[in-house]
Short mmCIF file of all heavy atoms in Angstrom, two decimals:
data_model
loop_
_atom_site.label_atom_id
_atom_site.label_comp_id
_atom_site.label_asym_id
_atom_site.label_seq_id
_atom_site.Cartn_x
_atom_site.Cartn_y
_atom_site.Cartn_z
N MET A 1 41.67 -54.78 19.03
CA MET A 1 41.60 -53.46 19.61
C MET A 1 41.28 -53.58 21.09
O MET A 1 40.21 -54.02 21.46
CB MET A 1 40.50 -52.65 18.93
CG MET A 1 40.88 -52.17 17.57
SD MET A 1 39.65 -51.19 16.67
CE MET A 1 38.31 -50.93 17.75
N SER A 2 42.21 -53.20 21.87
CA SER A 2 41.95 -53.20 23.30
C SER A 2 41.61 -51.77 23.73
O SER A 2 41.99 -50.81 23.08
CB SER A 2 43.15 -53.71 24.06
OG SER A 2 44.24 -52.87 23.83
N GLY A 3 40.91 -51.67 24.79
CA GLY A 3 40.51 -50.34 25.27
C GLY A 3 39.15 -49.95 24.72
O GLY A 3 38.58 -50.62 23.87
N ARG A 4 38.69 -48.86 25.24
CA ARG A 4 37.37 -48.38 24.82
C ARG A 4 37.48 -47.50 23.59
O ARG A 4 38.41 -46.74 23.44
CB ARG A 4 36.74 -47.58 25.94
CG ARG A 4 36.26 -48.42 27.08
CD ARG A 4 35.63 -47.56 28.15
NE ARG A 4 35.03 -46.35 27.63
CZ ARG A 4 33.75 -46.04 27.74
NH1 ARG A 4 32.95 -46.83 28.38
NH2 ARG A 4 33.28 -44.91 27.26
N MET A 5 36.50 -47.61 22.74
CA MET A 5 36.42 -46.74 21.57
C MET A 5 35.65 -45.49 21.95
O MET A 5 34.53 -45.60 22.46
CB MET A 5 35.72 -47.47 20.42
CG MET A 5 35.60 -46.65 19.17
SD MET A 5 34.72 -47.58 17.91
CE MET A 5 36.03 -47.94 16.82
N PRO A 6 36.22 -44.32 21.77
CA PRO A 6 35.52 -43.10 22.18
C PRO A 6 34.30 -42.83 21.28
O PRO A 6 34.37 -43.00 20.07
CB PRO A 6 36.57 -42.02 22.01
CG PRO A 6 37.53 -42.55 21.02
CD PRO A 6 37.52 -44.04 21.20
N TRP A 7 33.22 -42.46 21.91
CA TRP A 7 31.99 -42.17 21.16
C TRP A 7 31.79 -40.66 21.12
O TRP A 7 31.08 -40.10 21.92
CB TRP A 7 30.79 -42.84 21.82
CG TRP A 7 30.73 -44.27 21.49
CD1 TRP A 7 31.29 -45.29 22.19
CD2 TRP A 7 30.12 -44.86 20.35
NE1 TRP A 7 31.06 -46.48 21.57
CE2 TRP A 7 30.33 -46.24 20.42
CE3 TRP A 7 29.42 -44.37 19.27
CZ2 TRP A 7 29.87 -47.12 19.47
CZ3 TRP A 7 28.95 -45.24 18.33
CH2 TRP A 7 29.18 -46.60 18.43
N GLY A 8 32.41 -40.03 20.17
CA GLY A 8 32.24 -38.61 19.99
C GLY A 8 31.15 -38.33 18.97
O GLY A 8 30.47 -39.24 18.47
N LEU A 9 30.98 -37.08 18.66
CA LEU A 9 29.97 -36.66 17.69
C LEU A 9 30.20 -37.31 16.33
O LEU A 9 29.25 -37.70 15.65
CB LEU A 9 29.98 -35.14 17.56
CG LEU A 9 29.05 -34.57 16.49
CD1 LEU A 9 27.59 -34.86 16.85
CD2 LEU A 9 29.28 -33.08 16.33
N GLU A 10 31.46 -37.47 15.96
CA GLU A 10 31.75 -38.02 14.64
C GLU A 10 31.25 -39.46 14.49
O GLU A 10 30.70 -39.84 13.45
CB GLU A 10 33.24 -37.93 14.30
CG GLU A 10 34.15 -38.75 15.17
CD GLU A 10 34.58 -38.09 16.45
OE1 GLU A 10 34.11 -36.99 16.78
OE2 GLU A 10 35.40 -38.71 17.16
N LEU A 11 31.42 -40.28 15.52
CA LEU A 11 30.94 -41.66 15.42
C LEU A 11 29.43 -41.75 15.49
O LEU A 11 28.82 -42.62 14.87
CB LEU A 11 31.59 -42.52 16.49
CG LEU A 11 33.08 -42.79 16.27
CD1 LEU A 11 33.64 -43.65 17.38
CD2 LEU A 11 33.32 -43.45 14.93
N VAL A 12 28.82 -40.83 16.23
CA VAL A 12 27.35 -40.77 16.24
C VAL A 12 26.84 -40.43 14.85
O VAL A 12 25.86 -41.01 14.37
CB VAL A 12 26.87 -39.76 17.30
CG1 VAL A 12 25.37 -39.54 17.20
CG2 VAL A 12 27.23 -40.24 18.69
N LEU A 13 27.50 -39.49 14.17
CA LEU A 13 27.09 -39.13 12.81
C LEU A 13 27.26 -40.30 11.85
O LEU A 13 26.40 -40.54 11.00
CB LEU A 13 27.90 -37.93 12.31
CG LEU A 13 27.58 -36.58 12.93
CD1 LEU A 13 28.57 -35.54 12.46
CD2 LEU A 13 26.16 -36.17 12.62
N VAL A 14 28.35 -41.04 11.99
CA VAL A 14 28.58 -42.19 11.12
C VAL A 14 27.50 -43.24 11.33
O VAL A 14 26.91 -43.75 10.37
CB VAL A 14 29.99 -42.78 11.34
CG1 VAL A 14 30.14 -44.11 10.64
CG2 VAL A 14 31.05 -41.81 10.87
N TRP A 15 27.23 -43.58 12.58
CA TRP A 15 26.22 -44.61 12.87
C TRP A 15 24.82 -44.16 12.47
O TRP A 15 24.04 -44.93 11.90
CB TRP A 15 26.25 -45.00 14.35
CG TRP A 15 27.33 -45.96 14.65
CD1 TRP A 15 28.54 -45.69 15.21
CD2 TRP A 15 27.33 -47.36 14.37
NE1 TRP A 15 29.29 -46.83 15.31
CE2 TRP A 15 28.57 -47.87 14.81
CE3 TRP A 15 26.41 -48.23 13.81
CZ2 TRP A 15 28.90 -49.21 14.70
CZ3 TRP A 15 26.74 -49.57 13.70
CH2 TRP A 15 27.97 -50.04 14.14
N LEU A 16 24.48 -42.91 12.77
CA LEU A 16 23.17 -42.38 12.42
C LEU A 16 22.99 -42.33 10.90
O LEU A 16 21.95 -42.74 10.38
CB LEU A 16 22.98 -40.99 13.02
CG LEU A 16 21.64 -40.31 12.74
CD1 LEU A 16 20.51 -41.10 13.40
CD2 LEU A 16 21.66 -38.88 13.25
N GLY A 17 24.01 -41.87 10.20
CA GLY A 17 23.94 -41.82 8.74
C GLY A 17 23.82 -43.20 8.13
O GLY A 17 23.05 -43.40 7.18
N SER A 18 24.53 -44.15 8.67
CA SER A 18 24.44 -45.53 8.17
C SER A 18 23.05 -46.10 8.38
O SER A 18 22.48 -46.74 7.49
CB SER A 18 25.47 -46.42 8.86
OG SER A 18 26.76 -45.98 8.60
N LEU A 19 22.50 -45.88 9.56
CA LEU A 19 21.16 -46.38 9.86
C LEU A 19 20.11 -45.76 8.94
O LEU A 19 19.26 -46.47 8.39
CB LEU A 19 20.82 -46.08 11.32
CG LEU A 19 19.45 -46.54 11.81
CD1 LEU A 19 19.37 -48.06 11.79
CD2 LEU A 19 19.18 -46.00 13.19
N ILE A 20 20.19 -44.46 8.75
CA ILE A 20 19.24 -43.78 7.85
C ILE A 20 19.39 -44.29 6.43
O ILE A 20 18.39 -44.57 5.75
CB ILE A 20 19.45 -42.25 7.91
CG1 ILE A 20 19.02 -41.70 9.27
CG2 ILE A 20 18.66 -41.56 6.80
CD1 ILE A 20 19.40 -40.26 9.48
N ALA A 21 20.62 -44.42 5.96
CA ALA A 21 20.85 -44.85 4.58
C ALA A 21 20.35 -46.27 4.33
O ALA A 21 19.66 -46.52 3.33
CB ALA A 21 22.34 -44.75 4.24
N VAL A 22 20.66 -47.18 5.22
CA VAL A 22 20.25 -48.57 5.02
C VAL A 22 18.74 -48.73 5.12
O VAL A 22 18.11 -49.36 4.27
CB VAL A 22 20.98 -49.49 6.03
CG1 VAL A 22 20.39 -50.88 6.03
CG2 VAL A 22 22.46 -49.54 5.72
N ALA A 23 18.15 -48.12 6.13
CA ALA A 23 16.70 -48.25 6.30
C ALA A 23 15.94 -47.59 5.16
O ALA A 23 14.96 -48.14 4.64
CB ALA A 23 16.28 -47.64 7.63
N SER A 24 16.39 -46.43 4.72
CA SER A 24 15.71 -45.73 3.63
C SER A 24 15.86 -46.45 2.31
O SER A 24 14.92 -46.51 1.51
CB SER A 24 16.25 -44.30 3.50
OG SER A 24 16.01 -43.59 4.67
N THR A 25 17.03 -47.01 2.05
CA THR A 25 17.24 -47.74 0.81
C THR A 25 16.36 -48.99 0.77
O THR A 25 15.72 -49.26 -0.25
CB THR A 25 18.72 -48.13 0.65
OG1 THR A 25 19.51 -46.94 0.67
CG2 THR A 25 18.96 -48.86 -0.65
N ALA A 26 16.32 -49.72 1.87
CA ALA A 26 15.47 -50.91 1.91
C ALA A 26 14.00 -50.54 1.74
O ALA A 26 13.25 -51.20 1.01
CB ALA A 26 15.69 -51.66 3.22
N GLY A 27 13.58 -49.48 2.39
CA GLY A 27 12.20 -49.03 2.26
C GLY A 27 11.88 -48.55 0.86
O GLY A 27 10.79 -48.81 0.33
N ALA A 28 12.81 -47.84 0.24
CA ALA A 28 12.59 -47.33 -1.11
C ALA A 28 12.47 -48.46 -2.11
O ALA A 28 11.64 -48.41 -3.03
CB ALA A 28 13.72 -46.38 -1.50
N VAL A 29 13.27 -49.48 -1.96
CA VAL A 29 13.20 -50.63 -2.85
C VAL A 29 11.88 -51.38 -2.64
O VAL A 29 11.24 -51.82 -3.59
CB VAL A 29 14.42 -51.57 -2.66
CG1 VAL A 29 14.23 -52.88 -3.37
CG2 VAL A 29 15.68 -50.86 -3.12
N ALA A 30 11.45 -51.48 -1.40
CA ALA A 30 10.23 -52.24 -1.09
C ALA A 30 8.97 -51.53 -1.56
O ALA A 30 8.07 -52.17 -2.10
CB ALA A 30 10.15 -52.50 0.41
N VAL A 31 8.88 -50.22 -1.36
CA VAL A 31 7.63 -49.52 -1.67
C VAL A 31 7.72 -48.59 -2.87
O VAL A 31 6.74 -47.94 -3.22
CB VAL A 31 7.12 -48.73 -0.44
CG1 VAL A 31 6.79 -49.65 0.70
CG2 VAL A 31 8.09 -47.66 -0.02
N HIS A 32 8.87 -48.52 -3.51
CA HIS A 32 9.07 -47.74 -4.74
C HIS A 32 8.72 -46.26 -4.56
O HIS A 32 7.99 -45.68 -5.34
CB HIS A 32 8.26 -48.32 -5.90
CG HIS A 32 8.55 -49.75 -6.17
ND1 HIS A 32 9.72 -50.17 -6.73
CD2 HIS A 32 7.82 -50.88 -5.93
CE1 HIS A 32 9.70 -51.49 -6.83
NE2 HIS A 32 8.57 -51.95 -6.35
N GLN A 33 9.27 -45.67 -3.50
CA GLN A 33 9.06 -44.25 -3.24
C GLN A 33 10.38 -43.51 -3.43
O GLN A 33 11.37 -43.82 -2.78
CB GLN A 33 8.54 -44.03 -1.82
CG GLN A 33 7.17 -44.59 -1.58
CD GLN A 33 6.10 -43.84 -2.33
OE1 GLN A 33 6.16 -42.62 -2.44
NE2 GLN A 33 5.14 -44.57 -2.86
N GLN A 34 10.35 -42.48 -4.31
CA GLN A 34 11.58 -41.75 -4.61
C GLN A 34 12.05 -40.90 -3.44
O GLN A 34 13.26 -40.68 -3.28
CB GLN A 34 11.38 -40.87 -5.83
CG GLN A 34 11.25 -41.66 -7.11
CD GLN A 34 11.10 -40.76 -8.31
OE1 GLN A 34 10.89 -39.56 -8.17
NE2 GLN A 34 11.22 -41.33 -9.49
N TRP A 35 11.14 -40.41 -2.60
CA TRP A 35 11.57 -39.57 -1.49
C TRP A 35 12.39 -40.37 -0.49
O TRP A 35 13.23 -39.80 0.21
CB TRP A 35 10.38 -38.89 -0.82
CG TRP A 35 9.43 -39.81 -0.12
CD1 TRP A 35 8.36 -40.45 -0.67
CD2 TRP A 35 9.49 -40.21 1.24
NE1 TRP A 35 7.74 -41.22 0.28
CE2 TRP A 35 8.40 -41.09 1.47
CE3 TRP A 35 10.34 -39.92 2.30
CZ2 TRP A 35 8.17 -41.67 2.70
CZ3 TRP A 35 10.09 -40.50 3.53
CH2 TRP A 35 9.02 -41.36 3.72
N LEU A 36 12.20 -41.69 -0.44
CA LEU A 36 13.03 -42.50 0.44
C LEU A 36 14.46 -42.62 -0.08
O LEU A 36 15.41 -42.69 0.69
CB LEU A 36 12.41 -43.89 0.63
CG LEU A 36 11.19 -43.94 1.55
CD1 LEU A 36 10.55 -45.32 1.48
CD2 LEU A 36 11.57 -43.60 2.96
N PHE A 37 14.61 -42.61 -1.42
CA PHE A 37 15.97 -42.58 -1.98
C PHE A 37 16.65 -41.26 -1.65
O PHE A 37 17.85 -41.22 -1.39
CB PHE A 37 15.94 -42.80 -3.49
CG PHE A 37 15.84 -44.24 -3.88
CD1 PHE A 37 14.77 -44.70 -4.62
CD2 PHE A 37 16.82 -45.16 -3.53
CE1 PHE A 37 14.66 -46.03 -4.99
CE2 PHE A 37 16.73 -46.48 -3.88
CZ PHE A 37 15.65 -46.92 -4.62
N ALA A 38 15.89 -40.17 -1.66
CA ALA A 38 16.46 -38.87 -1.28
C ALA A 38 16.88 -38.89 0.19
O ALA A 38 17.93 -38.35 0.55
CB ALA A 38 15.45 -37.76 -1.53
N LEU A 39 16.09 -39.53 1.03
CA LEU A 39 16.44 -39.66 2.44
C LEU A 39 17.70 -40.53 2.61
O LEU A 39 18.55 -40.25 3.46
CB LEU A 39 15.28 -40.26 3.22
CG LEU A 39 15.39 -40.26 4.74
CD1 LEU A 39 15.51 -38.84 5.27
CD2 LEU A 39 14.18 -40.95 5.34
N ALA A 40 17.83 -41.56 1.77
CA ALA A 40 19.03 -42.40 1.81
C ALA A 40 20.26 -41.57 1.43
O ALA A 40 21.33 -41.72 2.04
CB ALA A 40 18.88 -43.59 0.88
N ALA A 41 20.12 -40.72 0.43
CA ALA A 41 21.24 -39.85 0.04
C ALA A 41 21.62 -38.92 1.19
O ALA A 41 22.81 -38.68 1.43
CB ALA A 41 20.88 -39.05 -1.20
N LEU A 42 20.63 -38.42 1.91
CA LEU A 42 20.91 -37.59 3.08
C LEU A 42 21.64 -38.39 4.15
O LEU A 42 22.57 -37.89 4.79
CB LEU A 42 19.60 -37.02 3.64
CG LEU A 42 19.73 -36.16 4.89
CD1 LEU A 42 20.50 -34.88 4.58
CD2 LEU A 42 18.37 -35.85 5.44
N GLY A 43 21.26 -39.65 4.32
CA GLY A 43 21.95 -40.51 5.28
C GLY A 43 23.41 -40.71 4.92
O GLY A 43 24.30 -40.67 5.77
N PHE A 44 23.68 -40.91 3.62
CA PHE A 44 25.07 -41.06 3.18
C PHE A 44 25.85 -39.76 3.40
O PHE A 44 27.03 -39.79 3.74
CB PHE A 44 25.14 -41.48 1.71
CG PHE A 44 24.85 -42.93 1.49
CD1 PHE A 44 23.76 -43.32 0.74
CD2 PHE A 44 25.65 -43.92 2.04
CE1 PHE A 44 23.48 -44.67 0.53
CE2 PHE A 44 25.39 -45.25 1.85
CZ PHE A 44 24.30 -45.63 1.10
N LEU A 45 25.18 -38.62 3.21
CA LEU A 45 25.84 -37.33 3.45
C LEU A 45 26.18 -37.16 4.92
O LEU A 45 27.29 -36.71 5.27
CB LEU A 45 24.94 -36.19 2.98
CG LEU A 45 25.47 -34.78 3.18
CD1 LEU A 45 26.69 -34.56 2.28
CD2 LEU A 45 24.41 -33.77 2.86
N ILE A 46 25.27 -37.54 5.81
CA ILE A 46 25.53 -37.47 7.25
C ILE A 46 26.70 -38.38 7.62
O ILE A 46 27.59 -38.01 8.37
CB ILE A 46 24.27 -37.83 8.05
CG1 ILE A 46 23.20 -36.75 7.86
CG2 ILE A 46 24.58 -38.02 9.53
CD1 ILE A 46 21.85 -37.14 8.41
N GLN A 47 26.69 -39.59 7.05
CA GLN A 47 27.76 -40.54 7.33
C GLN A 47 29.10 -39.99 6.84
O GLN A 47 30.11 -40.06 7.55
CB GLN A 47 27.46 -41.86 6.64
CG GLN A 47 28.49 -42.93 6.88
CD GLN A 47 28.20 -44.19 6.11
OE1 GLN A 47 27.40 -44.20 5.18
NE2 GLN A 47 28.86 -45.26 6.47
N HIS A 48 29.13 -39.43 5.66
CA HIS A 48 30.37 -38.88 5.11
C HIS A 48 30.89 -37.72 5.97
O HIS A 48 32.10 -37.60 6.19
CB HIS A 48 30.14 -38.40 3.67
CG HIS A 48 31.33 -37.76 3.07
ND1 HIS A 48 32.45 -38.47 2.69
CD2 HIS A 48 31.62 -36.46 2.82
CE1 HIS A 48 33.35 -37.63 2.21
NE2 HIS A 48 32.87 -36.41 2.28
N SER A 49 29.97 -36.88 6.45
CA SER A 49 30.42 -35.77 7.28
C SER A 49 31.01 -36.29 8.60
O SER A 49 31.98 -35.71 9.11
CB SER A 49 29.28 -34.79 7.54
OG SER A 49 28.26 -35.40 8.29
N GLY A 50 30.47 -37.37 9.13
CA GLY A 50 31.05 -37.96 10.33
C GLY A 50 32.45 -38.48 10.09
O GLY A 50 33.35 -38.29 10.91
N TRP A 51 32.65 -39.15 8.95
CA TRP A 51 34.00 -39.64 8.63
C TRP A 51 34.96 -38.49 8.41
O TRP A 51 36.14 -38.56 8.78
CB TRP A 51 33.97 -40.55 7.41
CG TRP A 51 33.46 -41.91 7.70
CD1 TRP A 51 32.36 -42.51 7.16
CD2 TRP A 51 34.01 -42.88 8.61
NE1 TRP A 51 32.20 -43.76 7.68
CE2 TRP A 51 33.19 -44.02 8.57
CE3 TRP A 51 35.11 -42.88 9.46
CZ2 TRP A 51 33.44 -45.15 9.33
CZ3 TRP A 51 35.36 -44.01 10.23
CH2 TRP A 51 34.53 -45.12 10.16
N ALA A 52 34.49 -37.40 7.78
CA ALA A 52 35.36 -36.25 7.54
C ALA A 52 35.81 -35.62 8.86
O ALA A 52 36.98 -35.26 9.02
CB ALA A 52 34.64 -35.23 6.67
N VAL A 53 34.88 -35.48 9.81
CA VAL A 53 35.23 -34.92 11.12
C VAL A 53 36.23 -35.84 11.82
O VAL A 53 37.21 -35.37 12.41
CB VAL A 53 33.96 -34.72 11.98
CG1 VAL A 53 34.33 -34.38 13.42
CG2 VAL A 53 33.09 -33.64 11.38
N ARG A 54 36.00 -37.13 11.75
CA ARG A 54 36.91 -38.08 12.41
C ARG A 54 38.30 -38.04 11.78
O ARG A 54 39.30 -38.05 12.49
CB ARG A 54 36.34 -39.49 12.32
CG ARG A 54 37.19 -40.51 13.02
CD ARG A 54 36.36 -41.69 13.46
NE ARG A 54 37.16 -42.75 14.01
CZ ARG A 54 37.55 -42.79 15.27
NH1 ARG A 54 37.21 -41.81 16.10
NH2 ARG A 54 38.27 -43.79 15.73
N ASN A 55 38.37 -37.97 10.46
CA ASN A 55 39.68 -37.90 9.80
C ASN A 55 40.42 -36.63 10.16
O ASN A 55 41.64 -36.64 10.32
CB ASN A 55 39.51 -38.00 8.29
CG ASN A 55 39.24 -39.42 7.84
OD1 ASN A 55 39.56 -40.37 8.55
ND2 ASN A 55 38.66 -39.57 6.67
N ARG A 56 39.70 -35.51 10.28
CA ARG A 56 40.35 -34.27 10.68
C ARG A 56 40.91 -34.38 12.09
O ARG A 56 41.99 -33.85 12.36
CB ARG A 56 39.36 -33.10 10.58
CG ARG A 56 39.47 -32.41 9.28
CD ARG A 56 38.70 -31.12 9.28
NE ARG A 56 38.01 -31.09 8.00
CZ ARG A 56 36.72 -31.15 7.84
NH1 ARG A 56 35.92 -31.20 8.86
NH2 ARG A 56 36.20 -31.15 6.64
N LYS A 57 40.18 -35.02 12.98
CA LYS A 57 40.67 -35.16 14.35
C LYS A 57 41.89 -36.06 14.41
O LYS A 57 42.84 -35.81 15.16
CB LYS A 57 39.58 -35.76 15.25
CG LYS A 57 38.57 -34.74 15.71
CD LYS A 57 37.63 -35.39 16.70
CE LYS A 57 36.68 -34.38 17.27
NZ LYS A 57 35.78 -34.98 18.26
N LEU A 58 41.89 -37.14 13.64
CA LEU A 58 42.98 -38.11 13.70
C LEU A 58 44.21 -37.64 12.92
O LEU A 58 45.33 -37.82 13.36
CB LEU A 58 42.53 -39.47 13.17
CG LEU A 58 41.48 -40.19 14.01
CD1 LEU A 58 41.09 -41.49 13.36
CD2 LEU A 58 42.00 -40.44 15.42
N ALA A 59 43.99 -37.07 11.74
CA ALA A 59 45.11 -36.71 10.88
C ALA A 59 45.52 -35.26 11.02
O ALA A 59 46.59 -34.88 10.56
CB ALA A 59 44.76 -37.01 9.42
N GLY A 60 44.67 -34.45 11.57
CA GLY A 60 45.02 -33.06 11.77
C GLY A 60 44.80 -32.16 10.57
O GLY A 60 45.13 -30.99 10.59
N GLY A 61 44.24 -32.67 9.50
CA GLY A 61 43.99 -31.84 8.32
C GLY A 61 42.75 -32.29 7.59
O GLY A 61 42.19 -33.35 7.87
N ALA A 62 42.30 -31.49 6.66
CA ALA A 62 41.11 -31.84 5.87
C ALA A 62 41.47 -32.85 4.81
O ALA A 62 42.53 -32.78 4.18
CB ALA A 62 40.54 -30.59 5.23
N ARG A 63 40.63 -33.86 4.66
CA ARG A 63 40.85 -34.87 3.63
C ARG A 63 39.65 -34.97 2.74
O ARG A 63 38.57 -34.81 3.08
CB ARG A 63 41.08 -36.23 4.26
CG ARG A 63 42.41 -36.31 4.92
CD ARG A 63 42.63 -37.69 5.42
NE ARG A 63 43.92 -37.69 6.06
CZ ARG A 63 44.72 -38.71 6.04
NH1 ARG A 63 44.39 -39.81 5.44
NH2 ARG A 63 45.87 -38.68 6.64
#
């Protein structure tokens, strides 16, 4: 891939959701707290919404 990758809101959502999901899952496994698993699910939801926005921009329709 040559050129710069644009950093729009959608990629920020993907990266932020991934960071929340991974950190919360690792923390939940380590300390056995259910609320951290709920936070991980929220992270996956944020990540999914970022991918959905990106797909709409690239493909022009909802997927």
Side-chain angles (χ1 to χ4, degrees):
M1 284 180 5
S2 62
R4 286 181 29 120
M5 180 182 252
W7 281 91
L9 175 65
E10 65 274 5
L11 290 180
V12 172
L13 288 173
V14 169
W15 279 101
L16 181 64
S18 298
L19 180 66
I20 291 171
V22 169
S24 298
T25 302
V29 169
V31 297
H32 304 288
Q33 294 291 322
Q34 290 182 348
W35 67 272
L36 285 172
F37 278 120
L39 190 61
L42 178 66
F44 283 118
L45 179 67
I46 292 170
Q47 181 184 15
H48 177 73
S49 65
W51 283 119
V53 170
R54 182 154 174 85
N55 283 338
R56 266 191 223 113
K57 280 186 175 181
L58 293 178
R63 288 185 181 214

